[in-house]
Amino acid sequence: MSVLLSTERLLLRPWRVAEAFVQRELWTERDPRVPPHRRLNKEGHPTLAELEESIRTDGVWTTGLLAVERRVEGDVIGYCGLVHSGRGSEGGDEGGDKGRDEPELAFELLRRVHGQGYATEAALAVIEHARADGHQRLWATVWDWNTASRRVLAKLGFTESGRTEVDPEHGTTLWTVLDL
């Protein structure tokens, strides 16, 4: 079942194969500090064709990481949604809720639209949808050096959990949490 969310300026919806070029642009724009498996490799992978195939076959692009479309302009500017990676509840918490289904909020927008409030607006819609679906808590991970995303998460009410993963080459991943 696909998800469709809307805000004043945005529509969050399943990806269309013809929009794979937006995903490709996101891959090309990523900060060099992002680990190599999340950037284009020397051979140019993932290719546009590979991204198109991913949209066709991976359900995450239908129900999880939704395309963020500006309503007036009609263009897709990135993605926002929930992933059920199991990473959020990894290691449990003081309450012993290791088994809870705690999805992770993820978002990424094209650089040309940064600083316009779209990430916050899209994420708020996803959070409201998660709350309506009965989720009690969401997680989000962010690199310590990614100040823009950290600001968005703070605006949304996420707080640092104290859990980190240190990578000497790429930086420290901070785990943030939002109780719904």
Side-chain angles (χ1 to χ4, degrees):
M1 185 167 99
S2 63
V3 176
L4 180 66
L5 306 173
S6 63
T7 70
E8 182 180 334
R9 300 183 298 164
L10 304 172
L11 181 65
L12 283 74
R13 57 158 177 80
W15 282 83
R16 299 177 185 128
V17 173
E19 295 162 342
F21 73 93
V22 177
Q23 290 186 8
R24 175 86 171 157
E25 188 175 347
L26 288 167
W27 278 83
T28 63
E29 289 185 346
R30 289 193 177 134
D31 191 288
R33 293 172 286 189
V34 171
H37 73 279
R38 297 274 297 137
R39 290 183 281 128
L40 293 180
N41 68 18
K42 291 177 187 173
E43 293 79 34
H45 294 278
T47 64
L48 188 58
E50 290 167 338
L51 293 168
E52 289 170 344
E53 182 63 16
S54 176
I55 292 170
R56 263 190 223 85
T57 61
D58 190 342
V60 74
W61 303 117
T62 304
T63 60
L65 299 178
L66 303 171
V68 176
E69 177 182 321
R70 293 191 293 184
R71 288 157 104 35
V72 171
E73 296 83 350
D75 60 338
V76 174
I77 57 172
Y79 64 80
C80 184
L82 300 177
V83 290
H84 296 271
S85 64
R87 290 177 3 140
S89 53
E90 183 179 290
D93 60 22
E94 297 79 31
D97 294 328
K98 279 191 206 182
R100 278 203 307 204
D101 179 24
E102 296 176 341
E104 184 176 348
L105 175 71
F107 55 87
E108 184 177 14
L109 300 180
L110 295 170
R111 286 184 184 177
R112 64 182 160 83
V113 298
H114 286 188
Q116 298 178 45
Y118 293 125
T120 303
E121 186 174 333
L124 281 170
V126 170
I127 290 167
E128 285 308 311
H129 180 69
R131 187 177 283 121
D133 271 359
H135 292 288
Q136 295 180 3
R137 180 162 55 180
L138 299 178
W139 291 86
T141 56
V142 63
W143 294 102
D144 60 349
W145 47 260
N146 190 340
T147 55
S149 289
R150 289 177 72 182
R151 272 195 308 272
V152 169
L153 291 170
K155 283 184 210 173
L156 297 169
F158 280 81
T159 57
E160 290 186 22
S161 69
R163 180 175 165 200
T164 62
E165 289 179 12
V166 178
D167 181 324
E169 187 177 347
H170 302 290
T172 300
T173 300
L174 307 173
W175 293 77
T176 65
V177 64
L178 174 67
D179 288 320
L180 302 176

